[in-house]
Amino acid sequence: MTDTDGTAPEDPDSEIILSWIRDYPSLVAYAPLPASGRYPRDSRGRPRPRSARLRTADPGEAPRRPAGLLSDSDWSWVIRSEHSWAGVTSKFGADTLRIVLALAAAGCVTIGYILNGNALAQPPRRVYPHPALMAAEQDRRSRRRDDTSSLRTSAEQLASAIVDDWPDVSWALRSTDHPDRLLWVLRAATDLAEGRTHDSLRAFVQSHAKDTKARDDVHRLLAALGFDHETLIALGVARNPYIGLGGQILLHTTDGSVLDLSAMPGPHDIRLGPHMLPRLTVTRPGGVLLVMENRQAAEAVCDTRPDLPVVWCHGQPPAAVVSMIVQAAQQTSAILICADADLGGVRITARIHDHLPPDTTIDIVDVGTVPHDEGRPFNTHSRTHLQQLAQRADQVGAFAQRCLQRGYAIEQEATARAALQAVLNSHPPA
């Protein structure tokens, strides 16, 4: 075989080990072979390499990441591409040489120099990651980009679906850029959209990460990203949930104190502890317990019907709040549940309904049965989930069916008060 000029091609040069350079005993200096396969020559035709590199003494061994040397983010930065020495120094400062030598000894990088005669010119010029590490990192980053793109698509779709029911969550889905944070927002938003309420912050984290400590600050993260406190309560990740209590109720605290809540207009916000819940006594047993979603309407009832025990459930009630509602319901003859006539209200009603004893007399107040203004039309997400709830063969299902028939949400304070008054007229004060 001959070159185009008719001469025989030269064989490629062999790699040159610079055995006389022993500045770093754990590393070997060599002259990298140029892409042409031939080193530059001196006037006598002898190889005259102009650059050198330091590498591990056994380049055949697989590279191994030194334990505890770099954080995950710094490790990813080092191996994703080659870097100038100035760039590495800017990253690691006074620790640069120690870090890079440790990486080179572990086979993770080689260190590039200019040859000054037979010596390495200082400082180094570049740092080159092992090709296998660089390829793996680039593949990981490519997969992460694909995953992030899919994550953003899912977030946008869900944001559009829940904007009417959870506008704060919809905004968080659209405004969160960091993929790790967006993943937690999407997890929380999905639970809210599907009506899941967790018993605690740790229960939420465990259900998604299989480790209760994987993100024990998730309640603060979600709040910082735009979740309202009421939304965090509905999700069940607020540290200590609130219950609003008013009317004919005695609150027995865990230290033995007793508070008569009827002495002051309610509902009173009670923050529940994580372990021992206070005990409730309904002071006029055998009457009606009223559980409400709308705070202003609950205040109006406490003012006009002080004879009734009232619970304001602060939105979707977590387990602690449900437990106290059940306590009060067991001391009364019937329970009236009055929530907004929308998907959230039906879900609140269903959660309370399904935790009450089977023999409880339950009356679900539909605020759409009195004159009202039309609210926002249900979007596809709300209609779909209302249709699922409407399949129930109980009062909850009938409530969902009426919401669907109207086709719009009703969540007005005045309407709730009017609907309650119509129902309470059949329960006159004792």
Side-chain angles (χ1 to χ4, degrees):
M1 182 176 180
T2 60
D3 286 339
T4 54
D5 60 1
T7 60
E10 298 183 74
D11 291 333
D13 288 333
S14 298
E15 184 182 82
I16 299 174
I17 301 297
L18 309 178
S19 56
W20 62 89
I21 297 178
R22 299 174 181 173
D23 302 32
Y24 306 100
S26 62
L27 300 175
V28 171
Y30 72 101
L33 191 63
S36 65
R38 301 284 290 173
Y39 290 107
R41 259 49 182 182
D42 62 14
S43 59
R44 298 184 181 181
R46 295 173 297 187
R48 194 67 177 175
R50 298 190 178 96
S51 62
R53 294 191 191 181
L54 290 176
R55 71 183 177 202
T56 179
D58 188 356
E61 284 191 2
R64 61 191 187 282
R65 177 181 175 179
L69 183 65
L70 295 174
S71 66
D72 289 345
S73 60
D74 287 345
W75 167 255
S76 298
W77 181 84
V78 166
I79 66 173
R80 74 185 183 196
S81 63
E82 63 181 68
H83 302 282
S84 69
W85 189 255
V88 180
T89 301
S90 176
K91 184 78 171 175
F92 300 118
D95 289 331
T96 298
L97 186 59
R98 175 184 65 83
I99 290 172
V100 173
L101 289 176
L103 290 171
C108 301
V109 303
T110 58
I111 311 170
Y113 294 83
I114 296 296
L115 269 177
N116 184 10
N118 289 329
L120 302 177
Q122 298 294 336
R125 300 283 290 183
R126 299 191 76 76
V127 175
Y128 304 89
H130 190 286
L133 293 178
M134 185 164 63
E137 175 63 12
Q138 290 175 347
D139 182 59
R140 185 193 71 82
R141 290 170 67 85
S142 177
R143 291 197 309 272
R144 185 176 176 83
R145 283 193 297 270
D146 292 343
D147 291 344
T148 300
S149 177
S150 176
L151 190 66
R152 295 194 191 287
T153 298
S154 298
E156 176 57 35
Q157 291 172 345
L158 187 54
S160 297
I162 67 172
V163 65
D164 290 340
D165 300 307
W166 306 99
D168 56 325
V169 181
S170 178
W171 184 87
L173 284 166
R174 286 177 165 142
S175 62
T176 302
D177 293 326
H178 194 284
D180 291 338
R181 296 190 186 102
L182 181 58
L183 177 60
W184 283 104
V185 174
L186 187 60
R187 287 166 169 169
T190 301
D191 285 350
L192 289 165
E194 295 178 358
R196 283 193 292 271
T197 297
H198 298 270
D199 288 338
S200 67
L201 170 68
R202 289 191 170 187
F204 169 75
V205 176
Q206 175 69 26
S207 71
H208 291 291
K210 310 306 178 188
D211 179 0
T212 59
K213 298 182 179 178
R215 187 88 210 206
D216 57 5
D217 66 339
V218 72
H219 59 305
R220 289 191 291 270
L221 172 69
L222 296 176
L225 294 174
F227 280 56
D228 291 341
H229 184 67
E230 296 301 320
T231 302
L232 297 178
I233 291 173
L235 185 62
V237 302
R239 280 292 189 183
N240 294 318
Y242 283 85
I243 187 171
L245 299 173
Q248 299 300 314
I249 293 176
L250 295 181
L251 183 70
H252 304 263
T253 65
T254 55
D255 66 356
S257 301
V258 180
L259 300 177
D260 184 354
L261 300 180
S262 67
M264 297 175 290
H268 309 284
D269 283 355
I270 309 297
R271 191 175 183 217
L272 303 178
H275 303 298
M276 297 179 65
L277 294 178
R279 184 169 55 85
L280 299 181
T281 298
V282 177
T283 55
R284 293 186 182 179
V288 175
L289 170 68
L290 182 57
V291 180
M292 306 185 62
E293 178 185 2
N294 186 285
R295 183 185 184 109
Q296 289 74 25
E299 291 173 346
V301 171
C302 285
D303 291 340
T304 60
R305 291 295 302 269
D307 59 301
L308 294 178
V310 175
V311 175
W312 172 49
C313 62
H314 278 262
Q316 184 69 263
V321 174
V322 171
S323 174
M324 296 190 71
I325 292 173
V326 171
Q327 271 192 57
Q330 290 172 334
Q331 303 174 55
T332 56
S333 63
I335 178 171
L336 305 182
I337 305 173
C338 181
D340 293 339
D342 58 10
L343 176 60
V346 176
R347 281 176 167 168
I348 290 170
T349 303
R351 180 165 172 78
I352 297 169
H353 178 282
D354 293 348
H355 283 82
L356 293 171
D359 58 347
T360 305
T361 299
I362 304 170
D363 192 353
I364 295 174
V365 180
D366 180 3
V367 299
T369 57
V370 298
H372 58 267
D373 296 328
E374 290 191 12
R376 50 183 169 76
F378 293 130
N379 60 20
T380 301
H381 170 266
S382 295
R383 285 195 301 273
T384 298
H385 287 273
L386 282 171
Q387 286 166 356
Q388 294 171 355
L389 289 163
Q391 295 175 11
R392 295 174 52 136
D394 57 15
Q395 290 189 68
V396 175
F399 182 26
Q401 289 173 9
R402 290 193 296 271
C403 290
L404 281 169
Q405 290 167 359
R406 285 189 292 265
Y408 53 83
I410 307 172
E411 48 190 0
Q412 299 129 20
E413 171 195 346
T415 303
R417 289 203 308 267
L420 277 168
Q421 188 58 51
V423 175
L424 292 177
N425 285 338
S426 61
H427 297 277

